Amino acid sequence: MPNCLRRFLSDESGATTLEYAMIGFFLSIVILAATRIIGAKLSAAYYLPVANNLT
């Protein structure tokens, strides 16, 4: 039993999965923030002038 526990504690294969999950999470946050910023700039550049001229 102690040998099995020692092998379990020294196994690092699950750490790689966790690292990839964290990278994916942070990458999705960056993509979300970038699209919100770009969307706001495009809205100010294209939508607002057209909307103002229609009224």
Side-chain angles (χ1 to χ4, degrees):
M1 186 69 171
N3 194 16
C4 183
L5 183 61
R6 190 175 311 132
R7 267 193 329 213
F8 176 73
L9 292 175
S10 67
D11 185 20
E12 295 182 2
S13 62
T16 318
T17 306
L18 181 62
E19 290 166 358
Y20 282 127
M22 289 175 58
I23 290 170
F25 172 73
F26 289 124
L27 189 60
S28 67
I29 296 297
V30 168
I31 290 171
L32 180 67
T35 54
R36 289 183 62 97
I37 291 170
I38 291 171
K41 288 184 180 184
L42 287 176
S43 176
Y46 294 107
Y47 175 73
L48 292 178
V50 172
N52 289 336
N53 286 332
L54 290 177
T55 57

